[in-house]
Amino acid sequence: MSENDNLQHADGKKEVESTETTPTQPTEIEMNAAEAEVNNDLDEGSVIEIVETEAESIVKSEDDDVEETPETEAPKDDLVDEIEASNAEDAEDESNAERHEVEEKDYHAMTMVELTAEMGRLLKTHKIQTISKHVNEIKGEFNAKFSELLDEKKEEFIEDGGNEIDFYYTNDTKKQFNSYYKEYKQTINVYYKEREQNLKQNLDNRLQIIEDIKGLLSVEENMGTTYKTFKELQEKWRNAGPIPRDKYNTAWNTYHHHVERFYDFLHLNNDLRDMDFKHNYDQKLKIIERAEELAEDENTNRSFRELQVLHKLWKEELGPVGKEHREIIWERFSNATKLIHDKRQAYYADMDKAHEKNLERKEEIIAQITALAEDKGNSHSAWQKKIKEIEALRDAFFKAGKVPLKVNESTWAKFKSAVRTFNRGKNSFYKDLKKDQYDNLKKKKDLIQIAEDNKDSDDFATVTPLMKKIQNEWKTIGHVPRRDSDKIWKQFKAACNHYFDKMHTERKAQDQHLYDAFDKKVKLLDELKTLELTEDPKADITILQDKIAEWKAIGYVPQNKRYIDGKFYKAIDDKFDKLKMDKSKLEMIKFESKLENLADSDDTRLLDNEQNFIRKRITEIKSEINQLENNLQFFSNVKSDNPLVKDVHKNIANHKKELDTWKAKLSKVRGMYS
């Protein structure tokens, strides 16, 4: 039996192992590095593509041209097949480790803008050979979404009276996406052209190395020198670079076969051979222990990815072990591999269940879209509400996750059909609405004509009511086509503004004396605000009264400027409040100032309102005094110097004093009438 009968290949043959004794063989540190490498494994849900390669298992003996096959063939193992096929693919591309660093994203849930941005990001941040799978997924999702948009635009075009043969639509997002995809195709084509040449050359180099190893068997020289040459050839093999995947297993099988023949040729030097066997045995135990640890890892994709690396190390870096260990360690490694395989199969079974739930959710969303499509809205607001609901459902559909592959296309077709039906109903409604909008446009243009015909009129008494009337009519007319809305509003507004500006300018010229009075009052108000009072209350009162008299002497201001009178009398009250004098007297002085202001008003209702307010306040104070006097009856047996009794008497006195002030104010108001 061959020394490597227990290591199985993707083609069903067992692997022929090589040996290594130099420090370049995988040490424990290198094994840890391999572990670190696979932390950049495939994301959950990704599937390793199984590439079938029919490796040539027949190798020729140097001496006799007779086909050699292993004495025993193990049954084909699906998982090892998959691992070998994937490692063969990896061997063709040295950057494969980087490929798995590309983050998996849910492209189905992205918008066209987001997909375009993601395409640009991939081109900018990753090597071109690592993103093919992602680019193809993004392209598929983008084309599906753009196709849906294209259908909508086409229907709108035809319903607006366009001829289907004349339809064309694109947008900036589509143009940018096409630019990115063109860049990708050009770059990847250049890469594959260069790589094809490199792979062919590397294969030629490896075949020559095999020939050189075969040649060692016929060299007649010192065994130590021959062994050194053999190790140098192994190092050249290790650094020879990637080769075509379909030649990978054949090349490795042939290489291992002749490495094994060299060890047979070396059997006289048992020390060298035993040292290699022991080293390989120790390293393979470490690989087995790591595989058994991976069997406990819950992240099945990560464990499978690292298992690939372990199989690659077992096959490519390590040579044979002693015959007494071969079947035992391979069986142990195979058992750990099977455990990982079983967990991975269970993981995909759970994923299938999740995809079924996603399918249920998407079918619910499609049913909701269908229901909205059947609900015929009869107003713009109702349709706008439904449009927002459809947008929310579309987002929910894209974010619902993947469905089973066998129903993916049919589910997408049902979704597009439901959305298309809704859009047809929406377009039909707005087509009818556009007819109404064109009627409204004509009505508003008629009002614009009236406004422009009268905008230069000097007959303000006649035209002003007309302009106000057409402004009100404008508000009652419904929507017009969006493309005309701003334009006609600006025309109408300009004509109306022209008229009213002209009217206000002429009226202002007639009432210039009122505007001059306003300017004087503004100046006087500013002076009052900065006025510093003296310590003599009588002198300060005289000053403030003079200010009031000066204010009245200025006269009237324009109707829309009369607010300044309120500001002035408020400022006067603020100054009075700062005088150091009896509060009741001060209150009467302020009140007299207020009455003079009311008397100057043409509105007699202001004086009536003031009189009614004072009467009401007098009634309230009298009621409060009566209540306090009634409260005193509860203290009939309490001494007069009791704090509570004294407080009640004090409140009664204050209320009576306040009552006298309000009575005096009432008398002043009555005097104003006469």
Side-chain angles (χ1 to χ4, degrees):
M1 181 181 291
S2 173
E3 291 180 342
N4 290 286
D5 285 343
N6 296 298
L7 192 55
Q8 189 174 340
H9 277 287
D11 59 357
K13 308 297 184 189
K14 293 183 179 178
E15 177 183 289
V16 182
E17 297 181 304
S18 67
T19 60
E20 197 78 46
T21 61
T22 63
T24 56
Q25 290 176 323
T27 62
E28 184 171 3
I29 294 176
E30 290 173 326
M31 289 299 297
N32 291 335
E35 292 176 29
E37 177 189 8
V38 296
N39 287 333
N40 297 314
D41 61 346
L42 293 172
D43 290 342
E44 290 187 5
S46 60
V47 180
I48 300 292
E49 180 183 2
I50 300 176
V51 181
E52 294 293 343
T53 60
E54 185 175 351
E56 299 175 13
S57 61
I58 300 177
V59 292
K60 296 289 185 180
S61 168
E62 180 189 28
D63 298 324
D64 53 13
D65 290 339
V66 177
E67 294 184 353
E68 293 183 352
T69 58
E71 296 179 9
T72 305
E73 290 189 357
K76 197 176 179 85
D77 187 309
D78 291 341
L79 181 58
V80 175
D81 274 357
E82 186 175 351
I83 292 172
E84 291 289 352
S86 182
N87 283 339
E89 180 180 2
D90 290 356
E92 190 177 69
D93 187 353
E94 289 180 323
S95 65
N96 185 69
E98 297 179 27
R99 177 185 300 122
H100 299 294
E101 293 178 6
V102 182
E103 180 184 359
E104 287 278 353
K105 295 186 178 181
D106 187 358
Y107 301 125
H108 190 59
M110 291 185 179
T111 64
M112 287 188 290
V113 173
E114 291 169 339
L115 289 168
T116 302
E118 180 64 13
M119 175 78 90
R121 188 191 69 81
L122 289 175
L123 289 172
K124 183 177 180 182
T125 59
H126 292 279
K127 290 186 177 180
I128 198 70
Q129 66 270 27
T130 68
I131 62 174
S132 297
K133 171 178 175 287
H134 299 266
V135 167
N136 290 332
E137 286 187 17
I138 290 173
K139 181 174 182 289
E141 291 295 344
F142 185 93
N143 287 344
K145 290 179 171 62
F146 188 76
S147 174
E148 182 190 2
L149 176 63
L150 207 60
D151 289 343
E152 293 181 20
K153 296 297 183 182
K154 186 175 183 180
E155 287 185 8
E156 292 177 4
F157 177 77
I158 294 172
E159 289 179 0
D160 285 342
N163 191 331
E164 182 175 355
I165 197 173
D166 298 325
F167 174 74
Y168 173 78
Y169 175 80
T170 189
N171 57 26
D172 291 341
T173 303
K174 174 64 173 173
K175 292 175 182 177
Q176 183 63 67
F177 184 85
N178 287 348
S179 174
Y180 282 147
Y181 189 71
K182 182 179 179 182
E183 178 185 346
Y184 164 77
K185 293 296 291 183
Q186 291 174 342
T187 308
I188 197 68
N189 287 339
V190 171
Y191 165 77
Y192 278 122
K193 185 175 181 180
E194 293 176 352
R195 192 183 72 164
E196 183 178 0
Q197 296 174 352
N198 292 335
L199 293 176
K200 184 177 182 304
Q201 184 59 52
N202 293 340
L203 178 61
D204 291 342
N205 293 341
R206 287 186 183 270
L207 293 177
Q208 183 57 51
I209 292 171
I210 292 173
E211 290 301 317
D212 291 344
I213 293 175
K214 289 165 62 176
L216 292 178
L217 302 181
S218 61
V219 173
E220 296 180 2
E221 62 180 2
N222 179 275
M223 187 59 67
T225 303
T226 303
Y227 183 74
K228 181 179 178 182
T229 303
F230 169 71
K231 302 309 290 184
E232 290 173 352
L233 289 172
Q234 282 191 310
E235 182 64 21
K236 286 178 65 178
W237 176 272
R238 185 176 295 106
N239 297 319
I243 62 176
R245 71 182 73 174
D246 60 336
K247 306 296 184 183
Y248 173 77
N249 282 324
T250 301
W252 272 98
N253 287 343
T254 307
Y255 169 73
H256 281 303
H257 169 74
H258 289 291
V259 166
E260 185 182 58
R261 294 188 68 231
F262 178 79
Y263 272 102
D264 289 339
F265 174 69
L266 196 65
H267 70 277
L268 295 177
N269 193 331
N270 290 326
D271 290 341
L272 288 175
R273 180 168 183 154
D274 291 345
M275 183 169 59
D276 271 0
F277 281 177
K278 183 178 185 308
H279 172 81
N280 295 335
Y281 178 73
D282 291 341
Q283 294 301 318
K284 287 189 175 182
L285 284 180
K286 291 177 181 178
I287 290 177
I288 292 169
E289 289 169 358
R290 180 56 185 158
E292 290 171 345
E293 290 176 5
L294 292 176
E296 302 298 325
D297 193 340
E298 295 302 320
N299 189 324
T300 56
N301 283 308
R302 180 173 60 207
S303 60
F304 178 74
R305 183 59 189 162
E306 186 170 346
L307 182 65
Q308 285 180 278
V309 175
L310 295 180
H311 274 264
K312 189 172 183 178
L313 290 173
W314 186 291
K315 173 180 181 178
E316 298 182 10
E317 300 292 339
L318 298 176
V321 300
K323 291 183 178 180
E324 69 275 14
H325 300 300
R326 291 175 191 170
E327 291 188 8
I328 297 173
I329 63 173
W330 174 250
E331 183 177 359
R332 186 175 167 189
F333 190 32
S334 297
N335 289 337
T337 298
K338 186 177 185 303
L339 286 174
I340 295 171
H341 173 263
D342 292 343
K343 289 184 69 172
R344 189 161 174 261
Q345 292 299 105
Y347 166 77
Y348 284 122
D350 290 340
M351 185 178 293
D352 289 340
K353 292 179 182 177
H355 289 171
E356 289 291 345
K357 289 185 178 179
N358 295 343
L359 175 61
E360 292 178 8
R361 173 61 181 146
K362 286 193 171 184
E363 288 180 339
E364 290 175 1
I365 293 171
I366 292 171
Q368 290 176 275
I369 293 174
T370 302
L372 285 172
E374 293 173 352
D375 177 23
K376 304 300 181 184
N378 55 5
S379 70
H380 171 69
S381 60
W383 273 102
Q384 288 299 306
K385 180 181 178 182
K386 289 203 298 180
I387 289 171
K388 290 180 180 179
E389 291 177 1
I390 289 292
E391 286 301 316
L393 288 171
R394 289 181 81 258
D395 289 343
F397 182 87
F398 290 129
K399 292 176 181 177
K402 296 181 179 179
V403 300
L405 187 61
K406 61 184 180 182
V407 295
N408 184 52
E409 289 189 9
S410 60
T411 304
W412 174 248
K414 286 193 289 186
F415 169 74
K416 286 205 301 182
S417 175
V419 173
R420 188 179 295 113
T421 300
F422 172 82
N423 287 334
R424 285 172 179 165
K426 175 195 70 176
N427 294 340
S428 175
F429 169 80
Y430 281 104
K431 185 177 180 181
D432 294 338
L433 187 62
K434 282 181 181 178
K435 181 179 181 302
D436 295 337
Q437 289 178 344
Y438 281 114
D439 291 341
N440 295 336
L441 178 62
K442 183 179 182 305
K443 293 176 183 177
K444 287 193 172 184
K445 284 183 175 180
D446 291 343
L447 296 182
I448 291 173
Q449 189 62 48
I450 294 173
E452 290 184 339
D453 290 344
N454 292 276
K455 67 179 182 180
D456 293 317
S457 174
D458 294 326
D459 186 1
F460 301 125
T462 302
V463 175
T464 298
L466 173 64
M467 296 297 276
K468 290 182 178 180
K469 177 176 179 292
I470 64 175
Q471 284 181 325
N472 289 331
E473 286 183 19
W474 183 279
K475 296 176 184 178
T476 62
I477 298 174
H479 294 284
V480 301
R482 184 179 299 177
R483 63 175 178 268
D484 300 305
S485 181
D486 287 344
K487 178 182 176 182
I488 63 171
W489 166 243
K490 288 177 180 177
Q491 282 183 269
F492 183 69
K493 183 180 179 182
C496 291
N497 286 349
H498 178 84
Y499 170 78
F500 285 108
D501 288 344
K502 182 176 186 298
M503 181 191 74
H504 291 149
T505 299
E506 294 193 18
R507 285 186 177 179
K508 184 175 181 180
Q510 295 173 1
D511 298 335
Q512 188 59 48
H513 64 288
L514 299 178
Y515 287 95
D516 292 340
F518 175 75
D519 293 339
K520 292 178 182 178
K521 286 193 172 185
V522 169
K523 183 178 179 181
L524 181 58
L525 178 59
D526 292 339
E527 293 174 358
L528 177 62
K529 290 179 179 179
T530 58
L531 178 65
E532 296 291 338
L533 298 176
T534 68
E535 295 298 323
D536 183 357
K538 291 184 179 180
D540 289 336
I541 290 173
T542 300
I543 292 172
L544 293 175
Q545 288 176 335
D546 288 343
K547 292 292 183 182
I548 294 172
E550 184 179 354
W551 183 271
K552 291 180 178 179
I554 292 174
Y556 291 106
V557 298
Q559 182 72 29
N560 62 339
K561 304 291 186 181
R562 290 187 179 182
Y563 62 84
I564 198 170
D565 289 332
K567 290 187 175 183
F568 174 78
Y569 283 104
K570 183 179 185 306
I572 286 290
D573 286 346
D574 292 340
K575 295 296 182 182
F576 274 124
D577 289 340
K578 295 177 181 179
L579 297 179
K580 297 179 180 179
M581 59 183 297
D582 182 74
K583 295 299 180 183
S584 60
K585 292 182 180 180
L586 181 60
E587 183 68 23
M588 287 305 299
I589 293 173
K590 288 169 59 178
F591 183 70
E592 288 172 358
S593 173
K594 180 179 180 181
L595 286 182
E596 290 179 5
N597 183 37
L598 293 176
D600 291 337
S601 174
D602 295 334
D603 192 352
T604 58
R605 291 175 300 176
L606 297 176
L607 203 60
D608 292 339
N609 292 339
E610 188 66 24
Q611 181 176 224
N612 292 334
F613 174 76
I614 294 172
R615 285 176 174 172
K616 181 180 179 182
R617 187 68 188 124
I618 288 173
T619 300
E620 290 173 350
I621 295 173
K622 285 181 178 180
S623 176
E624 291 170 0
I625 292 173
N626 289 335
Q627 183 63 45
L628 290 170
E629 289 176 342
N630 289 335
N631 291 343
L632 282 177
Q633 297 178 9
F634 294 103
F635 301 100
S636 57
N637 297 326
V638 180
K639 293 182 180 181
S640 59
D641 59 352
N642 184 281
L644 291 174
V645 174
K646 291 171 67 177
D647 187 54
V648 173
H649 281 294
K650 183 178 179 180
N651 284 339
I652 291 173
N654 290 337
H655 277 72
K656 287 182 177 181
K657 186 175 182 180
E658 185 181 1
L659 180 61
D660 292 339
T661 299
W662 283 105
K663 287 181 177 179
K665 288 182 178 181
L666 181 62
S667 177
K668 290 282 186 180
V669 172
R670 287 172 176 170
M672 295 296 294
Y673 284 100
S674 61

